[in-house]
Amino acid sequence: QLVESGGGLVQAGGSLRLSCVASGRTLSTPTMGWFRQAPEKEREFVAVISGTGRTTRYTDAVKGRFTISRDNAKNTVNLQMNSLKIEDTAVYYCAAAPVVSSRASAFDSWGQGTQVTVSS
């Protein structure tokens, strides 16, 4: 089970840190990713990190602003979001996959999501 936390309301230009804790499984092996879904839009890839943490990928829209990291000892994956923009408003989901991918179909475990709202 994956459980996200850290969402909330923040002004544009602010920061939030999302966390995803895995219970009942270890994170040492699977790739972990963050996706987001804005109202009336499809779920989109945000960032992914390999099991070792050595490989990371980001969607162009968040490069230089978001940082994905993981602590396998704590079974936790984080998404540090800086310089937030109104268009970052969405429900953010963490997910686990057996391979590094930006495709949602590659991820077989999903959290319930946490709302991030960026205001002007």
Side-chain angles (χ1 to χ4, degrees):
Q1 183 181 8
L2 303 176
V3 180
E4 303 96 335
S5 63
L9 174 64
V10 65
Q11 286 191 325
S15 298
L16 281 175
R17 183 178 178 86
L18 305 184
S19 293
C20 174
V21 178
S23 60
R25 68 183 295 178
T26 61
L27 286 184
S28 60
T29 301
T31 291
M32 297 298 296
W34 287 94
F35 289 77
R36 65 187 181 186
Q37 187 166 17
E40 301 181 358
K41 291 188 177 181
E42 293 186 355
R43 189 170 299 189
E44 66 172 355
F45 167 76
V46 176
V48 66
I49 187 167
S50 63
T52 62
R54 285 195 283 264
T55 299
T56 58
R57 295 178 186 169
Y58 300 89
T59 188
D60 287 345
V62 308
K63 282 181 181 176
R65 300 188 297 121
F66 290 12
T67 302
I68 189 171
S69 62
R70 65 190 297 158
D71 185 338
N72 289 341
K74 297 181 179 179
N75 275 0
T76 300
V77 177
N78 301 306
L79 185 68
Q80 178 66 44
M81 305 186 296
N82 299 328
S83 302
L84 282 161
K85 303 177 180 181
I86 293 175
E87 52 264 40
D88 293 320
T89 295
V91 177
Y92 283 70
Y93 300 88
C94 75
V99 295
V100 175
S101 177
S102 60
R103 295 181 294 109
S105 59
F107 290 77
D108 52 18
S109 296
W110 292 83
Q112 83 290 348
T114 184
Q115 176 70 47
V116 171
T117 303
V118 184
S119 65
S120 59

